[in-house]
Structure formats: structure tokens, C-alpha cells
Amino acid sequence: MATTANTDHTGNHAPGPEKMYHEDTSTNSTTATGGTNRQMTHEEHQTAVAASRFGYGPLAHVASGDPRLPAFGGEFQPGLYKGVKDRKFGNPAPLGLSAFALTTFVLSLINMNTRSVAEPNIVVGIAFGYGGLVQLLAGMWEMAVGNTFGATALSSYGGFWLSFAIILTPGGFQIEEAYTSMQSMTAFLDAFGFFLMGWFIFTTILLLATLRSTVAFFTLFFTLDLAFLLLGIGYLHRNAAGEPNPPVIKAGGFFGLLAAFSAWYNALAGIADDSN
């Protein structure tokens, strides 16, 4: 695995050597000292090979002209990345995270039947305007700053909220009515369960990319993944009355709330930095 410029414990980049060194596991490895090259001893070579695994020493891949930063949820970056400050762009991640968080927060409260509110109609407007459109725009801006992960995640979840709103728009696209008129409500619940399970699979893929990132960043995708899984199961495994399983849906809403607060936390980390 290639490593980049060394960073100290504060996250600042330590100045790298003027030369580019590449890992060399042969016994003829050399080291630069005072402008002259000499052959390494076997002991020095073994020590350098061990150090190179952690990004140190003359056998490590060092790119001193390409400084990168560690994983940071506030930038929606699961791994090493270049800071947006150097590219004269704002950070679109907090906007997308906030749009996702608010929409997820409201829907999750409804899924938990908070204050006996069970119908998600109010979410349609939020999903179209904030969770959908604004998050989709934030995803496109992530592409402009070179963040492939952020662009994929924010644009996809923006598309999720837009499609969710389209499905539930009363009397608009008549998707639910088409199922109930041709078959039964069971067919619509099954199809909606398939929809949610598809998003569970997609979120699992993104979750794998965050395994080596920050705890807050990983927590966001872990709780969201569980929310999609439980909601999908709730729609596919219904109760005796043929309705979405209330305890499972409530559990999905609980993890959705955790995901919403995790998204807000990562958004705050991206807003409250030294660029403001």
C-alpha cells in the first residue's frame, strides 16, 4: 500500500525529503546521506523495510509535493485526501450532510410513531426540496472538488430522497395507486421493501469504504445501514394484519435518528474549522 507525506499528531504535514524514494526490497538498496549514496547493510535494509510499512524511512513512497490529509467526516472523506482550501473551493459536505440529516430526522420520528404521527406526507416536501435537490447539488459540487466518495454518496442519497418523494406524492405519479388497483396493497409493500433493501446493499458498499476512517464517519454509515435493513425487513415481513411490522419499523426509525445526528455531527466538524 502506498503511503503519502508524513503527518505529525496534529494533522500537519511534516516536510518531506527533496528526493522521491520508492520501496525496494532487494538487498542492493541504497540510502542518500549528505548527497552521497552508499549500500545498506543487511540490518539497515531490514529496518528500513519494516519502517516503510508505516510510511517512514528511505524505502517508503514519499510524495513531498502532494500533501494529503487523513480521513475526516467533515469533508466526507473516508481516506487520505487533498484539502479543499488549497483549491479555492468551499466545502460542500456540510450542506449535503445537513440536508440528509434533517430529512432523515423527520422521517425517522414518523417511523417511530412519535406523538402518534404515522403518515409521512410532510416528508414529501422536505425530500423534494432539501434532502433531494440540495443534497444532489452538494454531491455535484463534491465532484468539482475531486471527492469521488462524497459525490457518489451525496448524489445517490439525494436521488434516494427524490425517488422517495416521487413514490409517496399523493395523486401525483400514482405509483402506489397503480399497485393497489392492479393487485393489492401487499404488492406495493413488497416492492417498497425491495426498494429499501437495494439501498441497504448500496450503503453497505459505502460502509466498507469507511472502515479505516474516523469513528463518527463510520458511525454515520453503520447506523444508516442498519436503518435501511430494518425498514426493508419491516416492509417485507409484515404483521398478522398485513401491515409493515411496527416494532421493526420503529427500530429502523431509531437507527435512522442515530444516523441523522451522526450526519449533523460530521456537518458541524466540516463547518467549525479554521476556514470560517
Side-chain angles (χ1 to χ4, degrees):
M1 181 182 69
T3 58
T4 53
N6 300 336
T7 58
D8 59 20
H9 68 279
T10 63
N12 298 322
H13 297 279
E18 296 299 321
K19 280 190 171 184
M20 174 82 72
Y21 292 95
H22 297 281
E23 183 173 353
D24 178 9
T25 57
S26 68
T27 57
N28 293 325
S29 302
T30 61
T31 179
T33 307
T36 61
N37 292 337
R38 68 174 179 84
Q39 187 172 2
M40 285 185 178
T41 65
H42 178 73
E43 183 179 357
E44 288 175 335
H45 175 77
Q46 294 300 320
T47 303
V49 168
S52 69
R53 298 192 186 104
F54 301 94
Y56 299 98
L59 299 186
H61 292 274
V62 180
S64 58
D66 185 25
R68 291 177 181 267
L69 304 173
F72 180 42
E75 294 275 5
F76 221 53
Q77 291 279 5
L80 297 177
Y81 71 103
K82 293 180 179 179
V84 296
K85 221 160 62 167
D86 296 335
R87 294 195 294 275
K88 307 303 181 184
F89 281 99
N91 178 12
L95 175 62
L97 286 165
S98 298
F100 171 83
L102 179 60
T103 317
T104 304
F105 174 76
V106 176
L107 180 61
S108 297
L109 288 176
I110 295 173
N111 284 332
M112 294 185 69
N113 201 26
T114 306
R115 298 184 68 87
S116 300
V117 177
E119 293 300 323
N121 301 60
I122 189 65
V123 182
V124 172
I126 309 172
F128 270 126
Y130 196 35
L133 177 61
V134 172
Q135 191 175 183
L136 178 62
L137 291 173
M140 293 296 99
W141 290 325
E142 286 282 12
M143 190 71 75
V145 301
N147 183 3
T148 304
F149 179 90
T152 303
L154 293 180
S155 299
S156 295
Y157 290 123
F160 163 77
W161 286 118
L162 287 172
S163 59
F164 181 87
I166 289 171
I167 293 171
L168 297 184
T169 298
F173 298 91
Q174 298 184 344
I175 295 176
E176 182 176 349
E177 289 80 357
Y179 277 98
T180 55
S181 62
M182 292 187 299
Q183 301 178 37
S184 64
M185 193 63 182
T186 300
F188 171 75
L189 295 177
D190 283 337
F192 198 73
F194 300 155
F195 172 76
L196 292 171
M197 294 305 287
W199 284 101
F200 160 70
I201 295 172
F202 172 73
T203 305
T204 301
I205 294 172
L206 296 183
L207 176 65
L208 295 176
T210 66
L211 290 176
R212 299 181 64 181
S213 66
T214 63
V215 174
F217 201 9
F218 172 80
T219 301
L220 166 58
F221 283 92
F222 180 70
T223 53
L224 179 61
D225 206 28
L226 290 178
F228 276 125
L229 176 62
L230 290 170
L231 292 173
I233 293 174
Y235 275 87
L236 293 173
H237 185 69
R238 294 175 288 277
N239 61 10
E243 300 171 342
N245 199 310
V248 181
I249 296 297
K250 286 184 178 181
F254 172 75
F255 281 104
L257 281 178
L258 294 181
F261 283 110
S262 296
W264 268 321
Y265 179 86
N266 283 282
L268 174 62
I271 295 172
D273 64 359
D274 59 2
S275 67
N276 296 317

